[in-house]
Amino acid sequence: MIFWIQPGINLNPHQRLAFILSHGRFFQLWYFIIFIVFASCLMMLCRAINHWLSERITFSTQLVAVFGFIWSAYCFSIGLIALFTIEYLLLLPAEQQTEVWFVIFAIQMGLGDGIEWVGGIWLTVLSWVMIQRKVSPKALHIFGLLVGITGCLTLHPSLQDAGAIFGLSQIVWFVWMGFTLRAKSKLGSY
């Protein structure tokens, strides 16, 4: 969606401000979907995965649960901060918006807007645990490991473009994992 809206909007504060001032409600809706709705769905997925792994609780399965819920809380936090700061910005008089925007932009970028390393850590640890436990389908977990490592790479500023690869490939992973969990629930195997 960001590529469709305006490429580079995540990195250019002037470009993002101009877009927010002209399409603020749309931007808030987009942030609500990608952060708040996503975090809610992620919590449900974490719960399902924890249930799947609950046959044998170990330190590694507890680590998967903790990282999953941390990522979910992180997404909620970033999303709510973004939504409320955009709302605040839109309510300001025009002469104050630019000055306040640079503070808001610094906060959003400092929190990791566009950096996927938290999700990368969760997916890497989850996939590694699944591989170690020989949980099928192995191909899903190898793919998840590669996607997770790609997300971890976004921690380095010069590799932030890996975030797009992480995001798009993680959509594939989420769909695959959804079908896997659905099949397992129908078989009564979790």
Side-chain angles (χ1 to χ4, degrees), residues 46-166:
C46 288
R47 175 66 183 104
I49 289 171
N50 292 341
H51 184 71
W52 187 14
L53 294 174
S54 66
E55 295 169 3
R56 197 178 82 213
I57 296 175
T58 62
F59 175 74
S60 60
T61 59
Q62 290 175 335
L63 203 58
V64 167
V66 167
F67 283 144
F69 290 122
I70 286 173
W71 188 26
S72 182
Y74 186 70
C75 289
F76 268 120
S77 301
I78 290 172
L80 291 174
I81 289 169
L83 289 172
F84 292 131
T85 55
I86 290 170
E87 184 67 29
Y88 175 72
L89 181 72
L90 294 173
L91 295 174
L92 284 174
E95 64 273 4
Q96 294 178 8
Q97 288 175 330
T98 302
E99 183 180 334
V100 170
W101 167 246
F102 286 103
V103 174
I104 291 171
F105 184 78
I107 291 169
Q108 288 179 355
M109 297 316 282
L111 286 172
D113 187 1
I115 298 176
E116 306 292 352
W117 63 272
V118 179
I121 291 171
W122 173 72
L123 189 53
T124 301
V125 172
L126 170 63
S127 299
W128 182 255
V129 167
M130 296 294 214
I131 291 168
Q132 293 299 308
R133 285 189 163 200
K134 296 178 176 49
V135 175
S136 63
K138 186 176 181 181
L140 169 65
H141 309 310
I142 291 171
F143 179 68
L145 189 62
L146 296 173
V147 173
I149 290 168
T150 303
C152 292
L153 294 176
T154 64
L155 188 57
H156 195 277
S158 67
L159 298 173
Q160 282 188 344
D161 290 341
I165 297 167
F166 173 75

Side-chain angles (χ1 to χ4, degrees), residues 1-7 9 26 30 34:
M1 181 62 92
I2 293 299
F3 294 124
W4 176 74
I5 292 172
Q6 209 166 2
I9 198 170
F26 176 76
W30 174 242
I34 66 169

